[in-house]
Amino acid sequence: MVHTTFRGFRSEMANLRPVRDIGRVGAVEGALLRVGGLGAIARVGDQVSIDRYNRAPVCGEILQLHGSEVSILPDSPPDGVSIGDRVVLFGASGIAPSDAWIGRVIDPYGRPLDGAALLPGADERRLRAPPPKPAERRSLGARLETGMAVFNTFLPIVRGQRLGLFAGAGVGKSSLLGHLARNMHVDVVVIALVGERGRELREFVEQFLGKEGMKRSVVVAATSDQSPFVRRRCAWAAMCVAEHFRDQGKHVLFLVDSITRFAEAHREVAVAGGELPSLRGYPPSTAHMIMALCERAGPGSAGMGDITALFSVLVAGSDMDEPVADILRGVLDGHVVMDRKIAERGRYPAIDLLRSLSRSLPDAANDGENASIRAARQMLGTYHQSETMIRAGLYSEGSDPTLDQALRAWPELDAFIAEQESVSIRNSFARLDLILRRAGIAQTLQSRGSTQRVVRSGQNNLLAPDAGDQDLSNVSATLPAE
């Protein structure tokens, strides 16, 4: 630990320069500053500091080059900037993650936000690094325990998978991300809070993650009041931290809340740089920016670990065809849709299972498990198609045997989706099979690699043999009446 600290200290000392390149403000054009004297040495993306008269300096980033002049987008409105103000060039700025960052909250520049000192690591990483070579990457790995019945069964998450979480504001996505951060079986959790409200940072760390969750987590945060450069940089910086641990052979869970705000920040920067908006206000480069970030997650190559990623997406009015949602659906390995109507009736997580999909299936489950998933989805689909008629009292029991089964299964399946106990995958499938049996669906249960499995219902913990032809009617008879 001491050796790592001194390496970080030496890295900081090595970056100190006795001489700085200086330019002068020549014009203020809206949010952009025109600066002379840096055109021959500056590069797009370099960091600068603008010294204002009798005011604190303003940081910024070089956005355009115009011969001997450059255009700078400052981190805050250019109030107080005057012609001739000094501009100091710092050059390109990456980030140098360290193992000592675990348990800490940092900003997109690697500076601490939790009040304690923090030194960078020895090796600086590029913010926009390339992903591992496609031909050398491993396939998706084993299914992961999540502590949630719906992800243990219907929507499995496997090692190296990239999943999208599509939800409107206030539907419970932060709570869901916090639960997964605490309960998924990974080595390190890296969380990017992009454009969040200031008060939500502490709430997420203390309530959703808690002390146990923070023990293996690094939180990178940029609040909504910060400049688009900082908000966009937040996702890149967090990915650099995840890649730091991945390169050590560790399994990393990477959570972004939200990729929509990342895209909005990029839109502000791109439009300020002269790029014309094309699709609902987003410039053409938005698709590449999102896909480039997502491609850096996933399975690693030989000698590396893996990055399992969840990207949350804010969908206004549950519009799954809006640009950011549409881009992500095409590049990710599955999508989870959260519905406000489900949240309003009090079921959390408010996952709309019929609109959600994990592309790790059917490979992530055996034949018996896939049969159970198909049967349960069919029951939910059948109920959904006739829900209006059922609620209006127009359906008479016995008219349709399949719908009768769906009516019996629906209350328990709906409750099953909300289960968040720390149950195993095997327990979750045993519970699902029991629900299907109680509804009268004769499933052929196949062996799942154990002689026994636990069936959980309320406060009951029941053991049932796991043989393929075993009838669970004796188990269901001991459960509470429907």
Side-chain angles (χ1 to χ4, degrees):
M1 179 67 180
V2 175
H3 177 66
T4 303
T5 301
F6 274 103
R7 286 181 64 194
F9 181 72
R10 286 198 298 268
S11 175
E12 278 286 282
M13 295 293 292
N15 289 329
L16 294 177
R17 293 178 55 196
V19 178
R20 293 290 186 186
D21 297 308
I22 302 296
R24 297 287 176 177
V25 175
V28 180
E29 301 173 347
L32 292 178
L33 307 180
R34 285 262 191 162
V35 175
L38 298 177
I41 52 178
R43 296 168 296 180
V44 172
D46 281 353
Q47 304 294 308
V48 299
S49 174
I50 302 105
D51 295 334
R52 299 179 295 178
Y53 180 72
N54 284 340
R55 294 198 183 190
V58 175
C59 293
E61 185 171 317
I62 293 178
L63 192 62
Q64 296 174 328
L65 305 178
H66 312 278
S68 62
E69 292 186 327
V70 299
S71 290
I72 295 173
L73 184 63
D75 286 352
S76 60
D79 298 340
V81 175
S82 59
I83 302 299
D85 281 349
R86 189 176 69 164
V87 178
V88 182
L89 178 68
F90 292 102
S93 176
I95 193 168
S98 166
D99 292 356
W101 289 11
I102 295 179
R104 303 298 302 275
V105 182
I106 64 172
D107 74 0
Y109 295 93
R111 299 174 300 210
L113 292 175
D114 50 12
L118 181 68
L119 281 175
D123 302 317
E124 187 171 88
R125 306 184 72 99
R126 292 169 51 192
L127 281 179
R128 300 175 66 177
K133 295 180 180 179
E136 298 177 1
R137 301 185 84 158
R138 292 186 297 272
S139 300
L140 295 177
R143 185 168 56 189
L144 300 173
E145 297 277 2
T146 65
M148 302 185 72
V150 65
F151 289 107
N152 282 351
T153 52
F154 295 106
L155 303 170
I157 302 174
V158 302
R159 181 167 176 148
Q161 186 174 2
R162 299 169 304 191
L163 204 65
L165 182 61
F166 298 78
V171 183
K173 66 181 184 308
S174 296
S175 177
L176 177 56
L177 290 175
H179 180 92
L180 294 174
R182 293 193 309 271
N183 291 279
M184 283 185 67
H185 290 193
V186 296
D187 299 318
V188 181
V189 181
V190 178
I191 304 165
L193 299 179
V194 183
E196 289 289 338
R197 288 164 286 191
R199 66 167 182 82
E200 290 184 333
L201 172 59
R202 186 168 183 177
E203 179 180 315
F204 186 89
V205 170
E206 294 182 354
Q207 297 184 18
F208 296 140
L209 274 181
K211 292 183 178 179
E212 290 301 314
M214 278 300 296
K215 285 181 180 178
R216 59 172 188 169
S217 300
V218 180
V219 178
V220 185
T223 53
S224 59
D225 63 311
Q226 294 181 282
S227 77
F229 271 130
V230 178
R231 285 181 274 129
R232 187 177 66 168
R233 182 187 173 97
C234 180
W236 289 334
M239 181 60 79
C240 286
V241 176
E243 290 170 334
H244 166 77
F245 293 107
R246 179 205 62 192
D247 292 349
Q248 297 177 11
K250 295 181 179 179
H251 180 201
V252 183
L253 176 62
F254 180 62
L255 307 176
V256 180
D257 188 14
S258 70
I259 204 73
T260 304
R261 296 193 181 106
F262 170 75
E264 290 171 348
H266 172 69
R267 176 174 61 187
E268 293 182 51
V269 174
V271 171
E275 191 174 352
L276 296 177
S278 56
L279 181 61
R280 298 195 190 180
Y282 287 97
S285 61
T286 302
H288 176 264
M289 197 68 59
I290 292 174
M291 291 187 285
L293 178 69
C294 294
E295 279 299 317
R296 292 168 66 180
S301 54
M304 294 182 177
D306 303 303
I307 299 177
T308 302
L310 276 83
F311 301 93
S312 77
V313 186
L314 284 169
V315 285
S318 300
D319 182 10
M320 290 293 291
D321 294 322
E322 63 94 20
V324 176
D326 197 43
I327 292 168
L328 274 170
R329 278 207 314 274
V331 74
L332 297 180
D333 306 312
H335 52 272
V336 178
V337 180
M338 302 183 73
D339 193 295
R340 186 175 304 279
K341 292 180 180 179
I342 297 176
E344 288 172 350
R345 63 178 173 85
R347 195 256 276 163
Y348 292 96
I351 295 174
D352 186 342
L353 188 59
L354 295 178
R355 298 170 65 196
S356 304
L357 174 70
S358 173
R359 291 179 181 169
S360 63
L361 287 175
D363 296 337
N366 62 36
D367 292 342
E369 292 167 346
N370 279 316
S372 298
I373 292 170
R374 284 193 298 269
R377 277 187 173 271
Q378 182 183 10
M379 292 297 99
L380 289 170
T382 300
Y383 180 86
H384 178 73
Q385 290 174 357
S386 305
E387 185 174 11
T388 302
M389 181 176 62
I390 294 167
R391 294 189 179 279
L394 301 177
Y395 176 73
S396 300
E397 187 174 358
S399 303
D400 185 341
T402 303
L403 184 53
D404 290 344
Q405 291 177 333
L407 276 169
R408 290 193 294 270
W410 188 84
E412 288 191 279
L413 285 175
D414 191 61
F416 175 81
I417 295 172
E419 288 184 6
Q420 298 188 37
E421 298 179 13
S422 298
V423 296
S424 68
I425 292 172
R426 188 178 53 180
N427 278 354
S428 297
F429 271 106
R431 170 71 175 142
L432 178 60
D433 288 336
L434 181 57
I435 292 171
L436 295 175
R437 294 270 182 167
R438 287 164 63 92
I441 302 169
Q443 282 294 106
T444 301
L445 304 179
Q446 301 199 6
S447 175
R448 302 206 166 101
S450 176
T451 57
Q452 284 189 327
R453 58 185 174 182
V454 179
V455 180
R456 299 178 63 90
S457 177
Q459 300 298 318
N460 298 301
N461 293 330
L462 307 171
L463 288 176
D466 201 26
D469 57 353
Q470 176 66 36
D471 188 359
L472 291 184
S473 58
N474 59 330
V475 177
S476 62
T478 65
L479 294 174
E482 298 181 47

